Structures are given as structure tokens and as C-alpha cells.
Amino acid sequence: MAWWPDVCFWMMMTMTIISFVQAEDSYRFFDLRVTDGKVSVFKGVPPTTVILINEKFPGPELHLVTNDNLIINVHNDLDEPFLLSWNGLHLKRNSYQDGVYGTTCPIPPGKNYTYAIHVGDQVGSFFYFPSLAVQKAAGGYGAIRILSRPDIPVPFPQPAGDFTLLIGDWYHRNHKNLKARLDGGRMIPRPYAVLVNGDGNTASTSLTVEKGKTYRFRISNVGVQVSLNFEILGHMLKLVEVEGTYTIQTMYTSLDIHVGQSLSVLVTMDQPPQKYSIVIGTRFTEDLSTYTLFLNYTNPNSKNKFVPNREPDNDLDFSIEQARSIKTNLTASGQRQNAQGSHHYGRIKISRTLILESSAGLVHRKQRYGINGVSFVPADTPLKLADYFKIKGVYKVGSIPDKPGREGMRLETAVMGLHHKDFLEIVFQNREKIVQTYHLDGYNFWVVGIGNRWSTWSQASRREYNLKDAISRSTTQVYPKSWTAVYVALDNVGMWNFRTEFWARQYLGQQFYFRVYSPANSIRDEYPLPKNALLCGRASNRHMRDFIP
């Protein structure tokens, strides 16, 4: 393929300039071609137009190892711009590769872009997805599996098998229709069904297991809006990992997985050999929907008794207590020399407290959403390019307040200025009647507190914080009429997207950007603009030589 020589040259230049690759780190090359195609998601329903990656829905799973260097060439064969983003990957010092419009120019139709990503010391279960408009509702996503290096111990025995389940809500209408509704000031309808690995035909697929063996299940909620519950009837789920963090190994009958979240569980096949139901059901919605697949033991008993489905209930208190019980395993070995969790976050002085609250309202007679009264509007130029080339007037640092006010909704290309190595306390206050989920690109944060329902955060709430072994993750839920508090160590310079994972709200403005700034202007803090960076907007006619430090 013609692009390989250019990529290799650019890759060697990158190594020369920033020297971020150790001699023992390996390279993995991926060629991803993005097309649309008709897929029969449901039996008896005409095929649906979906976004395919390498003619697959979902796209191919990326199998990686800690410290890998990834060269990912994405060909856009759609009739519209496209970007892939990497949910949960930290992309240290490299927000240019984040694959969201605030950092990266979209790949035009018929063109390609090559991402260069260093996995760093991460391990665990993640996924990639299309970040522009509402393309996520049409597919284009796939799993990312990062394994530990052979010399790094894992806090559980090697499982007999490893299953990946990408679960999410699905809509009757295609993503262009959904976008048109949102552009017209209307919200999208309720989802039609639940999909698992691109399939909507409940009770049509199965997984085969052997009695007495233990298997790992990696589950990601790649949907657009709805929280889901995962259960294997008759079996206990041992939670072992959440978004790259090994957890205290607690047993659960079922687990809530909110939109944008990933986790993995170990399940031991310790029941009589027969057929069991794996049930994925919607949570906290008026219209319940479930998807069932089967867990088939080999050599089942002659009396193959079917275990019936059990609908998950909507008990908020149960879900809150479950969320609080998920904690970091401080004895597990991380990818660095220090044990995972040895960072004493509970002893660090807080530099700044943010209280972030969702906002909703009409602007110019159209529905908008925001945070602290500010509804985000994309600029004509990616913010990171404007930052690099010092293009004025694209955005204004400090255009979103630290706390909610009483002013009405306003439109703004909202950017919050933050200092490298500061330590943040962020409180998500949810005054609405729905579960909300928030994600921060480029970071994990410690979920130190989750309020009871019908509660409001106050300084006294800090007495309830877990300052010892709070779970570290990149996506957290906020329950209705409640709050969630997190701590964030700002150790990753760049322009990072903070957003709701309720994708229609994200598109209508419930997001903004963290500009984590270091005055050192050093490659030790942030890598330079990639040599192959796409340029657009007011940066279209710029060149690398235009940059003056």
C-alpha cells in the first residue's frame, strides 16, 4: 500500500524529535477502512444502514500490549467527514491524536489520516468510536484490549477464555436523520432496542463454555443514551477491572454499566451443565428492553433445563450502593514499578474545586444543553490547532465558570484554563431525574464520593469521601437528584474534551474543553504537532514553520 513508506518516514521522524519510544516497545500497524453498508440487525426488518470498519459491524477488536506504539491508518470512504476517538486511552502528551473536533481536523471523504499513539502503561478494556455528529448511533465502533507485558503479574489466574461484549441502545432512524432532528431543535426519540456485538436478535446467539473453568467477559456500553445491566443467570460475576484499573475482587449477581463505561468480570462455570441466559437489560427507563444470549455448557445434562430471563429492576439505591462498593485493588501490580494505587491522592492539597451542573434551555427557539449555563458550539478551527498556531479569536480561555450561576443559557466555544500539575476536585451535581454519565479524555480520575438520591453536595459531603482506595476510571455516572465527586491530577498537558456521554446532549452543547497548560513549552510536557496533521479552518494555510514559540 502506498501510504506505508510515508508513514514509516514520519514515524522515524517522530522518534527522532521526541524520543518517546523505548527500544523494547513494539509497533502494531492497523489499516481501518470506513464505509457504510446495509446490515440485517433484526430479523424480519429491512437491512439498516450502518458504519462499517473493514466491512465489519462492530469493527475489528484491537489487541494490544502495554507500551505498544500504534500506527493506525483510517481511510474515510463515507460521504461525510469522519474521526475515530479512543475512549479511555490517555494519549499522554498527545491530545492531537484524540480524534475529537476540538483537537483534530476531520478526515474528509475519500481521504485518510494516520494516527500515531503510544499506549503507555495502560492495561485493560476500552473501545474506539466515531466522535463526529451522531455517527456513533450508526456503529463505527470496536473494542480495544490491552494486555499486560509478560513480566508484569496480573491479580488473577489466566482465564480459560476471553469474551468481548459491546452492548448499547439502538435506534430505528439512521444517524443522519437523528442529526437532522437535533439540528432542528428536537430531541431524538427513545431507543428501539438493545444490541450486543451488532446483533439485535435476542435469544439467537450463544457462547460455549466448559464446566469448572473460569472465563473473562469484557463489557463496554457503546450506546448513545441508556444505562444497561449485565447478568448471567445462576452465576456470580467477579469484578476484576474497570477502565484499566484492577479492582477489589467483589462478587455481584449483576452489574450496571452506564453509557461510555467499560469493565471486565471473571465467571466460573460452577453450575450443572445446561443452558443459561445472559441478560442485558435497560435501566432507569420507562420502556424496558432486554437482549438475551445463551451460555451453553459442553456436554449438558439430558434434562436441558432452560433458565428463564429475569428483568432487571430500577432500584436506584441498589445501584448507588453497588457503585460505592467498586474500589481499586491496591495490592495489584501496575505497569510501572510502583504498585497500582500507590499514588496517595487523599493527601494531596486541592488546587481548585469545580462544581459542574447540567443545563437545559431554548436558544433561538431550539433545544440546547450545556454545563453551568454554557452550551458549547464548535469553532471553525480545532482548538488545539488554534493554540499551536496562536490564531486569535477561535476561543477564549475562561469562557465557562467554575460553578453554576443564575444566568440563562448562552452559546460559547467553552474552554476552561487549567495548570499542569494542579489537583482538581470536581463535583457533578445532577438536579435532573435521569442518570447522567460524564467522561474526560486524556485522564482517569478517582471517584471519591457518590451522594444518596435527593441529596445536594456541600463542603460537609467531603467527610463521606473515600480517600484510600477509590476507583480510578475515565467515565462516571451521576444519579438523579444526586452528586458525584472526583479528584483529578492534571499530569497530561493538552486540550482535552470533557463531555456527557448522553450523545444527543453532547451534540447540543453539554461539553467543553480542559486546556491543561504548561509554560515550559517542552517536549517533556507535550509532543509537537504531528508532521501529518490535517489542517482546516483558519489553520488551512498554515505550515509548521509558521509556529513561533
Side-chain angles (χ1 to χ4, degrees):
M1 285 177 265
W3 66 277
W4 286 107
D6 292 338
V7 170
C8 291
F9 171 77
W10 172 73
M11 183 177 70
M12 289 186 290
M13 287 296 293
T14 302
M15 291 172 61
T16 302
I17 293 172
I18 60 181
S19 301
F20 70 88
V21 179
Q22 298 180 10
E24 68 271 19
D25 295 343
S26 65
Y27 279 87
R28 296 184 192 271
F29 297 86
F30 298 93
D31 203 38
L32 304 182
R33 187 166 294 276
V34 185
T35 59
D36 55 23
K38 296 284 188 178
V39 172
S40 295
V41 178
F42 304 99
K43 291 181 180 178
V45 177
T48 303
T49 300
V50 302
I51 295 177
L52 305 171
I53 308 290
N54 291 357
E55 300 185 353
K56 295 180 179 180
F57 172 56
E61 183 168 7
L62 306 185
H63 286 214
L64 314 175
V65 176
T66 297
N67 281 332
D68 275 352
N69 299 288
L70 313 181
I71 306 298
I72 306 174
N73 189 32
V74 178
H75 305 261
N76 179 16
D77 289 345
L78 301 177
D79 61 0
E80 58 184 342
F82 184 83
L83 278 176
L84 277 182
S85 191
W86 321 97
N87 205 74
L89 298 193
H90 293 162
L91 308 173
K92 288 291 188 179
R93 298 175 282 172
N94 201 11
S95 64
Y96 296 106
Q97 306 289 4
D98 196 21
V100 292
Y101 181 70
T103 63
T104 313
C105 292
I107 307 170
K111 301 296 183 180
N112 72 293
Y113 176 69
T114 302
Y115 294 84
I117 296 171
H118 184 53
V119 171
D121 62 357
Q122 288 190 263
V123 63
S125 310
F126 311 94
F127 63 92
Y128 60 87
F129 70 97
S131 65
L132 296 182
V134 201
Q135 292 174 341
K136 186 181 181 185
Y141 48 73
I144 300 174
R145 178 186 301 188
I146 307 178
L147 302 178
S148 296
R149 287 188 163 195
D151 57 335
I152 301 296
V154 175
F156 47 83
Q158 179 72 23
D162 202 325
F163 301 112
T164 295
L165 300 177
L166 299 181
I167 64 178
D169 47 24
W170 190 255
Y171 294 79
H172 258 318
R173 309 188 183 204
N174 66 43
H175 71 283
K176 293 182 179 180
N177 181 280
L178 296 176
K179 177 180 179 295
R181 286 177 63 94
L182 295 172
D183 289 341
R186 297 179 295 163
M187 276 299 287
I188 61 176
R190 292 173 180 170
Y192 170 69
V194 174
L195 296 193
V196 176
N197 291 346
D199 178 65
N201 299 299
T202 189
S204 64
T205 59
S206 63
L207 303 175
T208 300
V209 295
E210 293 184 38
K211 182 175 173 58
K213 293 188 176 181
T214 297
Y215 295 81
R216 185 172 183 173
F217 291 78
R218 300 172 187 263
I219 311 127
S220 295
N221 186 337
V222 297
V224 176
Q225 174 180 346
V226 176
S227 300
L228 297 170
N229 180 271
F230 178 84
E231 180 177 13
I232 302 179
L233 299 188
H235 296 74
M236 297 296 291
L237 312 176
K238 180 188 288 186
L239 183 65
V240 294
E241 177 251 333
V242 169
E243 293 160 26
T245 299
Y246 291 131
T247 65
I248 293 177
Q249 296 179 11
T250 306
M251 306 295 287
Y252 300 93
T253 55
S254 70
L255 281 163
D256 287 341
I257 308 169
H258 304 276
V259 62
Q261 293 184 340
S262 299
L263 56 79
S264 59
V265 297
L266 295 179
V267 182
T268 299
M269 304 305 149
D270 55 3
Q271 298 300 306
Q274 56 188 39
K275 179 188 291 185
Y276 296 88
S277 295
I278 302 175
V279 183
I280 296 97
T282 55
R283 292 280 273 161
F284 318 118
T285 59
E286 294 181 4
D287 301 323
L288 294 178
S289 179
T290 59
Y291 178 100
T292 301
L293 63 157
F294 297 128
L295 189 75
N296 289 336
Y297 279 61
T298 56
N299 302 316
N301 293 334
S302 56
K303 295 181 179 180
N304 193 2
K305 182 182 178 182
F306 175 73
V307 180
N309 305 358
R310 183 170 65 83
E311 296 279 354
D313 57 48
N314 285 333
D315 187 347
L316 269 173
D317 292 329
F318 172 84
S319 186
I320 290 171
E321 287 306 312
Q322 181 181 93
R324 288 172 176 165
S325 72
I326 299 175
K327 300 177 181 179
T328 296
N329 184 350
L330 298 179
T331 64
S333 295
Q335 301 308 304
R336 295 172 180 167
Q337 291 182 353
N338 293 329
Q340 184 188 57
S342 62
H343 190 61
H344 298 296
Y345 66 92
R347 302 178 187 175
I348 301 175
K349 182 179 179 181
I350 295 170
S351 308
R352 186 171 171 183
T353 295
L354 309 178
I355 300 177
L356 304 180
E357 184 175 301
S358 61
S359 312
L362 296 179
V363 179
H364 307 310
R365 298 183 179 180
K366 292 184 177 181
Q367 181 66 54
R368 297 290 301 184
Y369 293 90
I371 296 172
N372 289 359
V374 180
S375 183
F376 183 86
V377 289
D380 60 5
T381 305
L383 311 181
K384 192 59 191 170
L385 291 184
D387 219 19
Y388 183 86
F389 291 116
K390 301 189 183 301
I391 303 172
K392 297 182 179 180
V394 175
Y395 71 90
K396 180 181 178 182
V397 174
S399 47
I400 182 169
D402 287 8
K403 299 178 181 179
R406 297 183 179 180
E407 300 82 6
M409 181 84 71
R410 60 184 172 89
L411 304 180
E412 190 80 51
T413 304
V415 176
M416 180 174 287
L418 298 163
H419 298 291
H420 184 216
K421 298 186 178 179
D422 274 0
F423 193 75
L424 294 187
E425 174 189 41
I426 304 178
V427 178
F428 306 109
Q429 184 71 56
N430 183 9
R431 300 188 186 278
E432 300 187 57
K433 296 180 180 180
I434 62 170
V435 176
Q436 303 217 36
T437 311
Y438 288 100
H439 176 87
L440 177 59
D441 282 352
Y443 285 92
N444 269 27
F445 41 67
W446 292 276
V447 183
V448 295
I450 298 175
N452 297 321
R453 58 174 166 170
W454 306 107
S455 65
T456 301
W457 183 88
S458 68
Q459 293 189 12
S461 302
R462 291 176 176 143
R463 300 172 193 156
E464 305 171 21
Y465 284 4
N466 176 359
L467 300 181
K468 178 184 177 183
D469 56 0
I471 192 64
S472 172
R473 64 189 313 166
S474 61
T475 309
T476 189
Q477 70 273 27
V478 191
Y479 290 98
K481 302 289 185 178
S482 185
W483 56 269
T484 295
V486 304
Y487 283 172
V488 191
L490 298 181
D491 60 355
N492 198 9
V493 173
M495 189 77 71
W496 300 107
N497 186 229
F498 172 81
R499 61 179 178 265
T500 176
E501 288 288 348
F502 189 151
W503 210 252
R505 287 181 170 227
Q506 178 270 350
Y507 181 71
L508 293 179
Q510 196 171 329
Q511 61 169 310
F512 65 93
Y513 281 80
F514 281 8
R515 180 181 183 262
V516 182
Y517 175 72
S518 169
N521 192 29
S522 168
I523 59 175
R524 290 175 296 181
D525 295 335
E526 185 175 24
Y527 299 151
L529 183 71
K531 296 286 187 180
N532 68 331
L534 299 173
L535 301 180
C536 58
R538 283 184 252 178
S540 296
N541 59 351
R542 299 300 181 105
H543 302 279
M544 295 294 292
R545 62 177 178 270
D546 293 334
F547 173 62
I548 301 175

